[in-house]
Amino acid sequence: MDWQEIYEQRKMTAEEAIKLIHSGDRVMVAHAVGVPLAITDVLVEHKEDYENVEIVQMVSMGNAKFCEPGTEGHFRLNSLFLGVHSKPAVKEGRGDFTPCCFSEIPGLFDELMPLDVAVIQVSPPDKHGYVSCGVSVDYTLPSAQKAKRVIAQVNKEMPRTWGDTCLHVSEIDCFVEIDHPVLELALPNIGDVERAIGENCAKLIKDGDTLQLGIGAIPDAVLLFLKDKKDLGIHSEMISDGVVELIESGVVTNKRKTLHPGKAVVSFLMGTKRLYDFADDNPAIAMYPVDYVNDPYVIGQNDNLVSINSCVQVDLMGQVASESVGTTQISGIGGQVDFVRGARFSRGGRSIIAIGSTAGKGRISKIVPFLDEGAAVTTSRTDVDYIVTEYGIAHLRGKTLRDRARALIAIAHPDFREELVKAFEDRFHCVY
Ligand code: COA
């Protein structure tokens, strides 16, 4: 049977497709801007047909109706990274959170979390019968290769991306053709604090470095201060619109990369249509599954790899809490630990945790004597390298506990330095 026949035979409505999901199944749903909402929305409309379906997902965008109140007993979210929609579900007991590094997720699907169904979103097939996972390759492509059954929303708006992003139609059990614009993420507001942090981070970036950047105002602010750099490269789990500007202006050339020279290597995209149009059929953007892109040993094959991520609190020893405020889980590990460690393996590598010095409109210091009770340590004091705030740069690696504390107090908000100095003197029995 040729691929066109397979495709035609397996085309169905979302109502028909969800019959491949059974009560008690573990179902992986693609995430971020690749979420197949046209299928998950229909699944939730038919919730009465299902009992105890575990929904595994990383960043929930668009909506996450399967963990809204009223879905209890039908669906249970197992979130690998909390976001706006999944945070209340976990806090209110309708879902769970599984701590894990982004790089290990495809491996979890092999043994510890075998999948019954993968629900993904793809581009239409090309002339050879291959669909592309487009904006979200990360764990989406591997989950489709590992799940017992695969349901794909086929969306003409999904870009076809280069790298290792494709599945053959014969690997997918059913196709639901529904077109809509790929979800977009509004560009963040960059204020004075973010600009100052961005400027400080840029001081640590040299011509020819390869960058990993997270999402949000701080990474975007860093990009503003890179306009005079030369021949930067990208090896990052995700990129947003800011990177497009740097590629178009010739700042990012990927020329000096020691792994995949000439290519920006990423695992998922999250931004506006401008980014998706840029990545569409563009061989300069090479997308791979996250167990490759985020593997610290792969990251480390890039010389001069600089990673930039953020956190909630740092204590005076350099322990970094990035995913919980006390016992309340607010996000996840994502690729932070993968890239902090990958940067360590990289010759000339550096990892940066970049934060505003305060939270809660200036009421709370993010640099603290002790992490809040119950907070999870995301990046340990043995892995941490640079901490950057709007007040400067603290290089912690290779420093004693006292020198770390001194360096961190020097970049804390001035309103909190006095109490931090007191904590320093109580702890170390010496004058600051
Ligand atoms: N004490 C109390 N609350 C705090 C706090 C602190 N020290 N620091 C942050 N918060 C609160 C904020 O007030 C905010 O609350 P709100 O949602 O009610 O407004 C919330 O926590 C998020 O903080 P904010 O600083 O706005 O978040 P952000 O968008 O800059 O993201 C992280 C910061 C740490 C949550 C995010 O970078 C992250 O998830 N990092 C870990 C994973 C990672 O690094 N991944 C790499 C790429 S995936």
Side-chain angles (χ1 to χ4, degrees), residues 11 15 34 85 149 158 176 183 213 229 250 270 284 357 376:
K11 244 172 29 186
E15 282 77 7
H85 305 289
R149 302 178 290 282
M158 177 63 93
V176 180
L183 286 179
L213 297 148
K229 309 279 180 193
M270 194 147 70
S357 63

Side-chain angles (χ1 to χ4, degrees), residues 60 105 112 143 185 236 254 257 262 278 291 339 365 370 378:
S60 57
I105 293 174
L112 297 172
S143 69
L185 188 75
S236 187
N254 295 303
K257 285 179 75 181
F278 182 79
D291 49 348
F339 275 91
S365 177
F370 306 102
T378 310

Side-chain angles (χ1 to χ4, degrees), residues 62 126 328 358 394:
D126 66 7
T328 307
T358 61

Side-chain angles (χ1 to χ4, degrees), residues 58-59 81-82 87 102 212-218 237-238 268 308-313 321-323 325 330-337 339 353 355 358-361 364-368 372 378:
M58 203 152 163
V59 181
F81 191 106
L82 297 188
K87 210 164 25 172
F102 204 176
Q212 175 260 328
L213 297 148
I215 182 88
I218 293 176
E237 72 191 37
M238 58 86 54
F268 71 105
I308 304 175
N309 292 295
S310 194
C311 78
V312 171
Q313 281 186 326
S322 310
E323 47 178 305
V325 176
I330 64 158
S331 71
I333 297 104
Q336 182 168 125
V337 175
F339 275 91
I353 301 290
I355 47 169
T358 61
K361 300 197 169 77
I364 305 166
S365 177
K366 288 198 165 196
I367 296 177
V368 288
D372 283 1
T378 310

